[in-house]
mmCIF file with all atom_site columns, all heavy atoms in Angstrom:
data_model
loop_
_atom_site.group_PDB
_atom_site.id
_atom_site.type_symbol
_atom_site.label_atom_id
_atom_site.label_alt_id
_atom_site.label_comp_id
_atom_site.label_asym_id
_atom_site.label_entity_id
_atom_site.label_seq_id
_atom_site.pdbx_PDB_ins_code
_atom_site.Cartn_x
_atom_site.Cartn_y
_atom_site.Cartn_z
_atom_site.occupancy
_atom_site.B_iso_or_equiv
_atom_site.pdbx_formal_charge
_atom_site.auth_seq_id
_atom_site.auth_comp_id
_atom_site.auth_asym_id
_atom_site.auth_atom_id
_atom_site.pdbx_PDB_model_num
ATOM 1   N N   . PRO A 1 1  ? -6.204  11.987  6.102  1.00 97.00 ? 282 PRO A N   1
ATOM 2   C CA  . PRO A 1 1  ? -5.588  10.829  5.440  1.00 97.00 ? 282 PRO A CA  1
ATOM 3   C C   . PRO A 1 1  ? -4.811  11.244  4.199  1.00 97.00 ? 282 PRO A C   1
ATOM 4   O O   . PRO A 1 1  ? -5.200  12.165  3.484  1.00 97.00 ? 282 PRO A O   1
ATOM 5   C CB  . PRO A 1 1  ? -6.795  9.965   5.060  1.00 97.00 ? 282 PRO A CB  1
ATOM 6   C CG  . PRO A 1 1  ? -7.943  10.924  4.962  1.00 97.00 ? 282 PRO A CG  1
ATOM 7   C CD  . PRO A 1 1  ? -7.677  11.995  5.972  1.00 97.00 ? 282 PRO A CD  1
ATOM 8   N N   . ALA A 1 2  ? -3.691  10.569  3.954  1.00 95.00 ? 283 ALA A N   1
ATOM 9   C CA  . ALA A 1 2  ? -2.857  10.859  2.788  1.00 95.00 ? 283 ALA A CA  1
ATOM 10  C C   . ALA A 1 2  ? -3.282  10.054  1.575  1.00 95.00 ? 283 ALA A C   1
ATOM 11  O O   . ALA A 1 2  ? -2.837  10.337  0.457  1.00 95.00 ? 283 ALA A O   1
ATOM 12  C CB  . ALA A 1 2  ? -1.388  10.565  3.108  1.00 95.00 ? 283 ALA A CB  1
ATOM 13  N N   . ASN A 1 3  ? -4.130  9.046   1.811  1.00 95.00 ? 284 ASN A N   1
ATOM 14  C CA  . ASN A 1 3  ? -4.547  8.201   0.686  1.00 95.00 ? 284 ASN A CA  1
ATOM 15  C C   . ASN A 1 3  ? -5.732  7.333   1.083  1.00 95.00 ? 284 ASN A C   1
ATOM 16  O O   . ASN A 1 3  ? -6.036  7.168   2.268  1.00 95.00 ? 284 ASN A O   1
ATOM 17  C CB  . ASN A 1 3  ? -3.403  7.288   0.242  1.00 95.00 ? 284 ASN A CB  1
ATOM 18  C CG  . ASN A 1 3  ? -2.981  6.327   1.337  1.00 95.00 ? 284 ASN A CG  1
ATOM 19  O OD1 . ASN A 1 3  ? -2.116  6.648   2.157  1.00 95.00 ? 284 ASN A OD1 1
ATOM 20  N ND2 . ASN A 1 3  ? -3.603  5.153   1.393  1.00 95.00 ? 284 ASN A ND2 1
ATOM 21  N N   . PHE A 1 4  ? -6.391  6.823   0.058  1.00 95.00 ? 285 PHE A N   1
ATOM 22  C CA  . PHE A 1 4  ? -7.328  5.706   0.200  1.00 95.00 ? 285 PHE A CA  1
ATOM 23  C C   . PHE A 1 4  ? -6.595  4.502   -0.357 1.00 95.00 ? 285 PHE A C   1
ATOM 24  O O   . PHE A 1 4  ? -6.103  4.544   -1.492 1.00 95.00 ? 285 PHE A O   1
ATOM 25  C CB  . PHE A 1 4  ? -8.603  5.994   -0.614 1.00 95.00 ? 285 PHE A CB  1
ATOM 26  C CG  . PHE A 1 4  ? -9.530  4.807   -0.747 1.00 95.00 ? 285 PHE A CG  1
ATOM 27  C CD1 . PHE A 1 4  ? -10.610 4.665   0.089  1.00 95.00 ? 285 PHE A CD1 1
ATOM 28  C CD2 . PHE A 1 4  ? -9.313  3.837   -1.727 1.00 95.00 ? 285 PHE A CD2 1
ATOM 29  C CE1 . PHE A 1 4  ? -11.479 3.583   -0.032 1.00 95.00 ? 285 PHE A CE1 1
ATOM 30  C CE2 . PHE A 1 4  ? -10.171 2.752   -1.858 1.00 95.00 ? 285 PHE A CE2 1
ATOM 31  C CZ  . PHE A 1 4  ? -11.255 2.628   -1.005 1.00 95.00 ? 285 PHE A CZ  1
ATOM 32  N N   . CYS A 1 5  ? -6.496  3.426   0.418  1.00 93.00 ? 286 CYS A N   1
ATOM 33  C CA  . CYS A 1 5  ? -5.818  2.230   -0.092 1.00 93.00 ? 286 CYS A CA  1
ATOM 34  C C   . CYS A 1 5  ? -6.513  0.985   0.431  1.00 93.00 ? 286 CYS A C   1
ATOM 35  O O   . CYS A 1 5  ? -6.508  0.715   1.634  1.00 93.00 ? 286 CYS A O   1
ATOM 36  C CB  . CYS A 1 5  ? -4.344  2.213   0.314  1.00 93.00 ? 286 CYS A CB  1
ATOM 37  S SG  . CYS A 1 5  ? -3.462  0.758   -0.323 1.00 93.00 ? 286 CYS A SG  1
ATOM 38  N N   . ASP A 1 6  ? -7.137  0.259   -0.503 1.00 91.00 ? 287 ASP A N   1
ATOM 39  C CA  . ASP A 1 6  ? -7.799  -1.004  -0.192 1.00 91.00 ? 287 ASP A CA  1
ATOM 40  C C   . ASP A 1 6  ? -7.016  -2.118  -0.879 1.00 91.00 ? 287 ASP A C   1
ATOM 41  O O   . ASP A 1 6  ? -6.979  -2.188  -2.108 1.00 91.00 ? 287 ASP A O   1
ATOM 42  C CB  . ASP A 1 6  ? -9.246  -0.946  -0.698 1.00 91.00 ? 287 ASP A CB  1
ATOM 43  C CG  . ASP A 1 6  ? -9.953  -2.298  -0.649 1.00 91.00 ? 287 ASP A CG  1
ATOM 44  O OD1 . ASP A 1 6  ? -9.458  -3.200  0.056  1.00 91.00 ? 287 ASP A OD1 1
ATOM 45  O OD2 . ASP A 1 6  ? -10.993 -2.449  -1.315 1.00 91.00 ? 287 ASP A OD2 1
ATOM 46  N N   . VAL A 1 7  ? -6.370  -2.973  -0.068 1.00 87.00 ? 288 VAL A N   1
ATOM 47  C CA  . VAL A 1 7  ? -5.557  -4.045  -0.652 1.00 87.00 ? 288 VAL A CA  1
ATOM 48  C C   . VAL A 1 7  ? -6.418  -5.221  -1.111 1.00 87.00 ? 288 VAL A C   1
ATOM 49  O O   . VAL A 1 7  ? -5.922  -6.128  -1.780 1.00 87.00 ? 288 VAL A O   1
ATOM 50  C CB  . VAL A 1 7  ? -4.466  -4.551  0.327  1.00 87.00 ? 288 VAL A CB  1
ATOM 51  C CG1 . VAL A 1 7  ? -3.484  -3.444  0.641  1.00 87.00 ? 288 VAL A CG1 1
ATOM 52  C CG2 . VAL A 1 7  ? -5.085  -5.125  1.596  1.00 87.00 ? 288 VAL A CG2 1
ATOM 53  N N   . GLY A 1 8  ? -7.702  -5.209  -0.760 1.00 81.00 ? 289 GLY A N   1
ATOM 54  C CA  . GLY A 1 8  ? -8.595  -6.261  -1.214 1.00 81.00 ? 289 GLY A CA  1
ATOM 55  C C   . GLY A 1 8  ? -8.588  -7.479  -0.305 1.00 81.00 ? 289 GLY A C   1
ATOM 56  O O   . GLY A 1 8  ? -7.891  -7.523  0.708  1.00 81.00 ? 289 GLY A O   1
ATOM 57  N N   . GLY A 1 9  ? -9.367  -8.465  -0.683 1.00 73.00 ? 290 GLY A N   1
ATOM 58  C CA  . GLY A 1 9  ? -9.542  -9.627  0.173  1.00 73.00 ? 290 GLY A CA  1
ATOM 59  C C   . GLY A 1 9  ? -8.556  -10.741 -0.051 1.00 73.00 ? 290 GLY A C   1
ATOM 60  O O   . GLY A 1 9  ? -8.289  -11.536 0.841  1.00 73.00 ? 290 GLY A O   1
ATOM 61  N N   . GLY A 1 10 ? -7.985  -10.829 -1.245 1.00 74.00 ? 291 GLY A N   1
ATOM 62  C CA  . GLY A 1 10 ? -7.109  -11.950 -1.551 1.00 74.00 ? 291 GLY A CA  1
ATOM 63  C C   . GLY A 1 10 ? -5.697  -11.539 -1.894 1.00 74.00 ? 291 GLY A C   1
ATOM 64  O O   . GLY A 1 10 ? -5.042  -12.164 -2.736 1.00 74.00 ? 291 GLY A O   1
ATOM 65  N N   . ALA A 1 11 ? -5.196  -10.491 -1.251 1.00 77.00 ? 292 ALA A N   1
ATOM 66  C CA  . ALA A 1 11 ? -3.869  -9.957  -1.587 1.00 77.00 ? 292 ALA A CA  1
ATOM 67  C C   . ALA A 1 11 ? -2.760  -10.912 -1.158 1.00 77.00 ? 292 ALA A C   1
ATOM 68  O O   . ALA A 1 11 ? -2.847  -11.564 -0.125 1.00 77.00 ? 292 ALA A O   1
ATOM 69  C CB  . ALA A 1 11 ? -3.668  -8.605  -0.920 1.00 77.00 ? 292 ALA A CB  1
ATOM 70  N N   . SER A 1 12 ? -1.711  -10.954 -1.978 1.00 82.00 ? 293 SER A N   1
ATOM 71  C CA  . SER A 1 12 ? -0.529  -11.743 -1.643 1.00 82.00 ? 293 SER A CA  1
ATOM 72  C C   . SER A 1 12 ? 0.428   -10.908 -0.799 1.00 82.00 ? 293 SER A C   1
ATOM 73  O O   . SER A 1 12 ? 0.260   -9.694  -0.660 1.00 82.00 ? 293 SER A O   1
ATOM 74  C CB  . SER A 1 12 ? 0.176   -12.181 -2.925 1.00 82.00 ? 293 SER A CB  1
ATOM 75  O OG  . SER A 1 12 ? 0.651   -11.036 -3.630 1.00 82.00 ? 293 SER A OG  1
ATOM 76  N N   . LYS A 1 13 ? 1.440   -11.578 -0.266 1.00 82.00 ? 294 LYS A N   1
ATOM 77  C CA  . LYS A 1 13 ? 2.488   -10.884 0.489  1.00 82.00 ? 294 LYS A CA  1
ATOM 78  C C   . LYS A 1 13 ? 3.134   -9.812  -0.377 1.00 82.00 ? 294 LYS A C   1
ATOM 79  O O   . LYS A 1 13 ? 3.400   -8.687  0.078  1.00 82.00 ? 294 LYS A O   1
ATOM 80  C CB  . LYS A 1 13 ? 3.532   -11.907 0.952  1.00 82.00 ? 294 LYS A CB  1
ATOM 81  C CG  . LYS A 1 13 ? 4.818   -11.305 1.488  1.00 82.00 ? 294 LYS A CG  1
ATOM 82  C CD  . LYS A 1 13 ? 5.850   -12.405 1.763  1.00 82.00 ? 294 LYS A CD  1
ATOM 83  C CE  . LYS A 1 13 ? 7.230   -11.816 2.023  1.00 82.00 ? 294 LYS A CE  1
ATOM 84  N NZ  . LYS A 1 13 ? 8.247   -12.879 2.241  1.00 82.00 ? 294 LYS A NZ  1
ATOM 85  N N   . GLU A 1 14 ? 3.367   -10.126 -1.652 1.00 86.00 ? 295 GLU A N   1
ATOM 86  C CA  . GLU A 1 14 ? 4.022   -9.184  -2.563 1.00 86.00 ? 295 GLU A CA  1
ATOM 87  C C   . GLU A 1 14 ? 3.140   -7.967  -2.833 1.00 86.00 ? 295 GLU A C   1
ATOM 88  O O   . GLU A 1 14 ? 3.624   -6.835  -2.911 1.00 86.00 ? 295 GLU A O   1
ATOM 89  C CB  . GLU A 1 14 ? 4.357   -9.880  -3.885 1.00 86.00 ? 295 GLU A CB  1
ATOM 90  C CG  . GLU A 1 14 ? 5.444   -10.934 -3.794 1.00 86.00 ? 295 GLU A CG  1
ATOM 91  C CD  . GLU A 1 14 ? 4.981   -12.231 -3.139 1.00 86.00 ? 295 GLU A CD  1
ATOM 92  O OE1 . GLU A 1 14 ? 3.753   -12.476 -3.078 1.00 86.00 ? 295 GLU A OE1 1
ATOM 93  O OE2 . GLU A 1 14 ? 5.842   -13.010 -2.678 1.00 86.00 ? 295 GLU A OE2 1
ATOM 94  N N   . LYS A 1 15 ? 1.844   -8.198  -2.960 1.00 86.00 ? 296 LYS A N   1
ATOM 95  C CA  . LYS A 1 15 ? 0.915   -7.092  -3.211 1.00 86.00 ? 296 LYS A CA  1
ATOM 96  C C   . LYS A 1 15 ? 0.830   -6.177  -1.995 1.00 86.00 ? 296 LYS A C   1
ATOM 97  O O   . LYS A 1 15 ? 0.802   -4.943  -2.134 1.00 86.00 ? 296 LYS A O   1
ATOM 98  C CB  . LYS A 1 15 ? -0.471  -7.656  -3.549 1.00 86.00 ? 296 LYS A CB  1
ATOM 99  C CG  . LYS A 1 15 ? -1.491  -6.618  -3.978 1.00 86.00 ? 296 LYS A CG  1
ATOM 100 C CD  . LYS A 1 15 ? -2.778  -7.295  -4.440 1.00 86.00 ? 296 LYS A CD  1
ATOM 101 C CE  . LYS A 1 15 ? -3.828  -6.290  -4.873 1.00 86.00 ? 296 LYS A CE  1
ATOM 102 N NZ  . LYS A 1 15 ? -5.066  -6.956  -5.368 1.00 86.00 ? 296 LYS A NZ  1
ATOM 103 N N   . VAL A 1 16 ? 0.803   -6.754  -0.807 1.00 85.00 ? 297 VAL A N   1
ATOM 104 C CA  . VAL A 1 16 ? 0.782   -5.957  0.424  1.00 85.00 ? 297 VAL A CA  1
ATOM 105 C C   . VAL A 1 16 ? 2.064   -5.138  0.536  1.00 85.00 ? 297 VAL A C   1
ATOM 106 O O   . VAL A 1 16 ? 2.035   -3.943  0.883  1.00 85.00 ? 297 VAL A O   1
ATOM 107 C CB  . VAL A 1 16 ? 0.611   -6.873  1.656  1.00 85.00 ? 297 VAL A CB  1
ATOM 108 C CG1 . VAL A 1 16 ? 0.803   -6.079  2.948  1.00 85.00 ? 297 VAL A CG1 1
ATOM 109 C CG2 . VAL A 1 16 ? -0.754  -7.541  1.645  1.00 85.00 ? 297 VAL A CG2 1
ATOM 110 N N   . ALA A 1 17 ? 3.197   -5.762  0.222  1.00 87.00 ? 298 ALA A N   1
ATOM 111 C CA  . ALA A 1 17 ? 4.474   -5.047  0.278  1.00 87.00 ? 298 ALA A CA  1
ATOM 112 C C   . ALA A 1 17 ? 4.489   -3.887  -0.719 1.00 87.00 ? 298 ALA A C   1
ATOM 113 O O   . ALA A 1 17 ? 4.974   -2.792  -0.410 1.00 87.00 ? 298 ALA A O   1
ATOM 114 C CB  . ALA A 1 17 ? 5.625   -6.010  -0.009 1.00 87.00 ? 298 ALA A CB  1
ATOM 115 N N   . ALA A 1 18 ? 3.945   -4.137  -1.910 1.00 89.00 ? 299 ALA A N   1
ATOM 116 C CA  . ALA A 1 18 ? 3.880   -3.073  -2.922 1.00 89.00 ? 299 ALA A CA  1
ATOM 117 C C   . ALA A 1 18 ? 3.029   -1.910  -2.432 1.00 89.00 ? 299 ALA A C   1
ATOM 118 O O   . ALA A 1 18 ? 3.393   -0.734  -2.603 1.00 89.00 ? 299 ALA A O   1
ATOM 119 C CB  . ALA A 1 18 ? 3.324   -3.629  -4.231 1.00 89.00 ? 299 ALA A CB  1
ATOM 120 N N   . ALA A 1 19 ? 1.892   -2.210  -1.814 1.00 90.00 ? 300 ALA A N   1
ATOM 121 C CA  . ALA A 1 19 ? 1.016   -1.162  -1.283 1.00 90.00 ? 300 ALA A CA  1
ATOM 122 C C   . ALA A 1 19 ? 1.733   -0.344  -0.222 1.00 90.00 ? 300 ALA A C   1
ATOM 123 O O   . ALA A 1 19 ? 1.657   0.897   -0.206 1.00 90.00 ? 300 ALA A O   1
ATOM 124 C CB  . ALA A 1 19 ? -0.252  -1.785  -0.705 1.00 90.00 ? 300 ALA A CB  1
ATOM 125 N N   . PHE A 1 20 ? 2.440   -1.035  0.659  1.00 88.00 ? 301 PHE A N   1
ATOM 126 C CA  . PHE A 1 20 ? 3.151   -0.343  1.736  1.00 88.00 ? 301 PHE A CA  1
ATOM 127 C C   . PHE A 1 20 ? 4.243   0.568   1.170  1.00 88.00 ? 301 PHE A C   1
ATOM 128 O O   . PHE A 1 20 ? 4.424   1.709   1.619  1.00 88.00 ? 301 PHE A O   1
ATOM 129 C CB  . PHE A 1 20 ? 3.768   -1.363  2.695  1.00 88.00 ? 301 PHE A CB  1
ATOM 130 C CG  . PHE A 1 20 ? 4.199   -0.771  4.009  1.00 88.00 ? 301 PHE A CG  1
ATOM 131 C CD1 . PHE A 1 20 ? 3.289   -0.618  5.042  1.00 88.00 ? 301 PHE A CD1 1
ATOM 132 C CD2 . PHE A 1 20 ? 5.508   -0.349  4.207  1.00 88.00 ? 301 PHE A CD2 1
ATOM 133 C CE1 . PHE A 1 20 ? 3.679   -0.059  6.257  1.00 88.00 ? 301 PHE A CE1 1
ATOM 134 C CE2 . PHE A 1 20 ? 5.902   0.206   5.411  1.00 88.00 ? 301 PHE A CE2 1
ATOM 135 C CZ  . PHE A 1 20 ? 4.994   0.349   6.442  1.00 88.00 ? 301 PHE A CZ  1
ATOM 136 N N   . LYS A 1 21 ? 4.946   0.093   0.152  1.00 90.00 ? 302 LYS A N   1
ATOM 137 C CA  . LYS A 1 21 ? 6.017   0.900   -0.454 1.00 90.00 ? 302 LYS A CA  1
ATOM 138 C C   . LYS A 1 21 ? 5.451   2.121   -1.176 1.00 90.00 ? 302 LYS A C   1
ATOM 139 O O   . LYS A 1 21 ? 6.052   3.203   -1.165 1.00 90.00 ? 302 LYS A O   1
ATOM 140 C CB  . LYS A 1 21 ? 6.852   0.038   -1.406 1.00 90.00 ? 302 LYS A CB  1
ATOM 141 C CG  . LYS A 1 21 ? 7.784   -0.925  -0.674 1.00 90.00 ? 302 LYS A CG  1
ATOM 142 C CD  . LYS A 1 21 ? 8.738   -1.633  -1.616 1.00 90.00 ? 302 LYS A CD  1
ATOM 143 C CE  . LYS A 1 21 ? 8.074   -2.791  -2.313 1.00 90.00 ? 302 LYS A CE  1
ATOM 144 N NZ  . LYS A 1 21 ? 9.042   -3.590  -3.103 1.00 90.00 ? 302 LYS A NZ  1
ATOM 145 N N   . ILE A 1 22 ? 4.287   1.969   -1.810 1.00 93.00 ? 303 ILE A N   1
ATOM 146 C CA  . ILE A 1 22 ? 3.655   3.111   -2.482 1.00 93.00 ? 303 ILE A CA  1
ATOM 147 C C   . ILE A 1 22 ? 3.287   4.173   -1.454 1.00 93.00 ? 303 ILE A C   1
ATOM 148 O O   . ILE A 1 22 ? 3.494   5.370   -1.671 1.00 93.00 ? 303 ILE A O   1
ATOM 149 C CB  . ILE A 1 22 ? 2.401   2.651   -3.267 1.00 93.00 ? 303 ILE A CB  1
ATOM 150 C CG1 . ILE A 1 22 ? 2.826   1.810   -4.478 1.00 93.00 ? 303 ILE A CG1 1
ATOM 151 C CG2 . ILE A 1 22 ? 1.572   3.847   -3.723 1.00 93.00 ? 303 ILE A CG2 1
ATOM 152 C CD1 . ILE A 1 22 ? 1.681   1.070   -5.141 1.00 93.00 ? 303 ILE A CD1 1
ATOM 153 N N   . ILE A 1 23 ? 2.753   3.742   -0.313 1.00 93.00 ? 304 ILE A N   1
ATOM 154 C CA  . ILE A 1 23 ? 2.362   4.688   0.741  1.00 93.00 ? 304 ILE A CA  1
ATOM 155 C C   . ILE A 1 23 ? 3.586   5.402   1.306  1.00 93.00 ? 304 ILE A C   1
ATOM 156 O O   . ILE A 1 23 ? 3.577   6.630   1.475  1.00 93.00 ? 304 ILE A O   1
ATOM 157 C CB  . ILE A 1 23 ? 1.601   3.946   1.861  1.00 93.00 ? 304 ILE A CB  1
ATOM 158 C CG1 . ILE A 1 23 ? 0.249   3.449   1.328  1.00 93.00 ? 304 ILE A CG1 1
ATOM 159 C CG2 . ILE A 1 23 ? 1.390   4.858   3.068  1.00 93.00 ? 304 ILE A CG2 1
ATOM 160 C CD1 . ILE A 1 23 ? -0.461  2.482   2.268  1.00 93.00 ? 304 ILE A CD1 1
ATOM 161 N N   . THR A 1 24 ? 4.657   4.664   1.578  1.00 91.00 ? 305 THR A N   1
ATOM 162 C CA  . THR A 1 24 ? 5.845   5.281   2.171  1.00 91.00 ? 305 THR A CA  1
ATOM 163 C C   . THR A 1 24 ? 6.590   6.174   1.182  1.00 91.00 ? 305 THR A C   1
ATOM 164 O O   . THR A 1 24 ? 7.368   7.041   1.589  1.00 91.00 ? 305 THR A O   1
ATOM 165 C CB  . THR A 1 24 ? 6.822   4.211   2.706  1.00 91.00 ? 305 THR A CB  1
ATOM 166 O OG1 . THR A 1 24 ? 7.171   3.311   1.636  1.00 91.00 ? 305 THR A OG1 1
ATOM 167 C CG2 . THR A 1 24 ? 6.196   3.424   3.835  1.00 91.00 ? 305 THR A CG2 1
ATOM 168 N N   . ALA A 1 25 ? 6.352   5.982   -0.115 1.00 89.00 ? 306 ALA A N   1
ATOM 169 C CA  . ALA A 1 25 ? 7.024   6.815   -1.116 1.00 89.00 ? 306 ALA A CA  1
ATOM 170 C C   . ALA A 1 25 ? 6.454   8.227   -1.176 1.00 89.00 ? 306 ALA A C   1
ATOM 171 O O   . ALA A 1 25 ? 7.063   9.120   -1.773 1.00 89.00 ? 306 ALA A O   1
ATOM 172 C CB  . ALA A 1 25 ? 6.917   6.160   -2.495 1.00 89.00 ? 306 ALA A CB  1
ATOM 173 N N   . ASP A 1 26 ? 5.296   8.440   -0.570 1.00 91.00 ? 307 ASP A N   1
ATOM 174 C CA  . ASP A 1 26 ? 4.671   9.765   -0.561 1.00 91.00 ? 307 ASP A CA  1
ATOM 175 C C   . ASP A 1 26 ? 5.379   10.638  0.467  1.00 91.00 ? 307 ASP A C   1
ATOM 176 O O   . ASP A 1 26 ? 5.328   10.352  1.675  1.00 91.00 ? 307 ASP A O   1
ATOM 177 C CB  . ASP A 1 26 ? 3.186   9.622   -0.206 1.00 91.00 ? 307 ASP A CB  1
ATOM 178 C CG  . ASP A 1 26 ? 2.430   10.938  -0.277 1.00 91.00 ? 307 ASP A CG  1
ATOM 179 O OD1 . ASP A 1 26 ? 3.085   12.001  -0.385 1.00 91.00 ? 307 ASP A OD1 1
ATOM 180 O OD2 . ASP A 1 26 ? 1.184   10.916  -0.218 1.00 91.00 ? 307 ASP A OD2 1
ATOM 181 N N   . PRO A 1 27 ? 6.060   11.707  0.046  1.00 92.00 ? 308 PRO A N   1
ATOM 182 C CA  . PRO A 1 27 ? 6.815   12.546  1.002  1.00 92.00 ? 308 PRO A CA  1
ATOM 183 C C   . PRO A 1 27 ? 5.926   13.243  2.029  1.00 92.00 ? 308 PRO A C   1
ATOM 184 O O   . PRO A 1 27 ? 6.421   13.683  3.078  1.00 92.00 ? 308 PRO A O   1
ATOM 185 C CB  . PRO A 1 27 ? 7.518   13.566  0.095  1.00 92.00 ? 308 PRO A CB  1
ATOM 186 C CG  . PRO A 1 27 ? 6.731   13.581  -1.177 1.00 92.00 ? 308 PRO A CG  1
ATOM 187 C CD  . PRO A 1 27 ? 6.188   12.200  -1.330 1.00 92.00 ? 308 PRO A CD  1
ATOM 188 N N   . ALA A 1 28 ? 4.624   13.335  1.748  1.00 93.00 ? 309 ALA A N   1
ATOM 189 C CA  . ALA A 1 28 ? 3.715   13.998  2.692  1.00 93.00 ? 309 ALA A CA  1
ATOM 190 C C   . ALA A 1 28 ? 3.356   13.105  3.873  1.00 93.00 ? 309 ALA A C   1
ATOM 191 O O   . ALA A 1 28 ? 2.880   13.596  4.907  1.00 93.00 ? 309 ALA A O   1
ATOM 192 C CB  . ALA A 1 28 ? 2.444   14.436  1.973  1.00 93.00 ? 309 ALA A CB  1
#
């Protein structure tokens, strides 16, 4: 795995999008 990422139970659409962008920003 390249990361541990828990978006939590009450995440908004914007928070999920932010998490996805952080993951894709990792060149590995």
Side-chain angles (χ1 to χ4, degrees):
N284 63 271
F285 169 98
C286 181
D287 170 17
V288 297
S293 64
K294 168 187 168 182
E295 291 75 19
K296 186 174 180 178
V297 171
F301 195 85
K302 286 188 280 187
I303 290 168
I304 292 169
T305 57
D307 184 348

